[in-house]
Amino acid sequence: HVQLQESGPIVVQPSETLSLTCTVSGGSMSSYYWNWIRQPPGQGLEWIGYVFYSGTTNYNPSLESRVTMSVDTSKNQFFLKLDSVAAADTAVYYCARQLNSASKVFDIWGQGTKVTVSS
Amino acid sequence: ALRMAQSPSSLSASTGDRVTITCRASQDISSYLAWYQQKPGKAPNLLVYAASTVQSGVPSRFSGSGSATDFTLTINCLQSEDFATYYCQQYYTFPYSFGQGTKLEIK
């Protein structure tokens, strides 16, 4: 069965770039949309954006100026970069698979990685 | 952006109870509504999508209903493992957005 695993630095300095990788195992990336979602401490969920297996992206307008997502299907990985981070970007970051092209819901999630923005 | 409002924000109940959580959208979203369960320190788990389609593997005590702007998640005969936080999500339009969550606690 498909599993997702996030990886990357757990502490990022203010104004630097947050970079995360999500590794997909147990299945193909083809034909799926791959998403990033975050959750600040004690708060709700915020959709950051997705990257289609072909490389097409769609970002939340609230973060669009700072976000870049990409995919490497040969390595079964997709990536998140968030520029110019601040304390408000401290959160648990999840990668998640979209169920299918019609149902834009998230059926498989990584365990999440907590990223703290701090000097 | 389209806003999702859940009520109540917290709820106390006992095992065996039937509970209902409500989600209201700021505009008509047809049936493009999903529900998730999240336990502390864990990723959310998809329960219901398309307002009323229960995800494979989810117990039958969970059900969803509604359309347009008003939706409900019902849990029949609460079990101990159901005490968690529940989120609704709209996928009618970008950006996808979530409700603020409903924390279901043991009475």
Side-chain angles (χ1 to χ4, degrees), chain A residues 39 58 94 104-106 110, chain B residues 36 38 87 89 91 94 96:
Chain A
Q39 185 170 36
N58 194 331
Y94 295 100
K104 301 173 177 69
V105 299
F106 313 113
Chain B
Y36 298 84
Q38 186 179 35
Y87 293 94
Q89 176 225 336
Y91 52 102
F94 291 113
Y96 309 146

Side-chain angles (χ1 to χ4, degrees), chain A residues 9-21:
Chain A
I10 59 173
V11 179
V12 181
Q13 299 217 349
S15 80
E16 298 294 306
T17 296
L18 179 160
S19 297
L20 295 176
T21 298

